[in-house]
Amino acid sequence: VQLQASGGGLVQAGGSLRLSCAASGRALSMDAMGWFRQAPGKEREFVSAIRWPMGSRTYYADSVKGRFTMSGDNAKKMVTLQMNSLKPEDTAVYYCAARRYWTVAYYTDKMYDTWGQGTLVTVSS
């Protein structure tokens, strides 16, 4: 399975971006997909996750709650991350990730075994 993330770019503070992540190859059923980000000089951190089937329940880091919305289509193996009201501190490389089975530790990057290549989001002040 390969994950391909896209949609990053440069945006002014207060603006919006939409990231997408698509799985290809021998994409078996995946119960969990997530978005993580890594800013320069910082560790990778959790952004959001989606749980299938469970009605596509979503989870967010406190830092993005109310501004970011994750959605997806399990049948198509695609997820998106709509990012609104962006702040300079949202600047990072954003990665999508997937795992076969759901885990209560969905916010931990080590629980995911498949990763996309990352897409850069830069928010200017």
Side-chain angles (χ1 to χ4, degrees):
V1 177
Q2 296 84 38
L3 299 178
Q4 180 72 37
S6 61
L10 174 63
V11 65
Q12 289 187 332
S16 298
L17 280 175
R18 185 180 179 88
L19 305 183
S20 297
C21 178
S24 61
R26 192 177 179 184
L28 301 176
S29 176
M30 295 181 290
D31 285 355
M33 292 189 73
W35 286 99
F36 290 78
R37 67 186 182 186
Q38 187 166 22
K42 295 187 178 182
E43 294 186 352
R44 188 161 53 189
E45 64 175 5
F46 169 74
V47 174
S48 65
I50 190 166
R51 179 180 182 179
W52 290 313
M54 297 298 290
S56 298
R57 186 171 179 177
T58 51
Y59 304 80
Y60 300 94
D62 288 343
S63 59
V64 306
K65 202 171 293 183
R67 299 188 298 123
F68 291 11
T69 301
M70 183 176 183
S71 59
D73 186 327
N74 193 15
K76 296 181 179 179
K77 304 296 186 290
M78 287 186 61
V79 291
T80 61
L81 184 68
Q82 178 66 40
M83 305 185 295
N84 299 328
S85 301
L86 283 162
K87 305 175 182 180
E89 51 263 45
D90 293 318
T91 295
V93 176
Y94 284 70
Y95 299 89
C96 61
R99 62 173 278 129
R100 173 64 181 89
Y101 297 106
W102 178 253
T103 172
V104 295
Y106 58 85
Y107 50 86
T108 304
D109 59 355
K110 293 180 175 57
M111 300 306 295
Y112 294 81
D113 48 27
T114 303
W115 290 83
Q117 84 286 4
T119 183
L120 177 62
V121 172
T122 303
V123 183
S124 63
S125 58

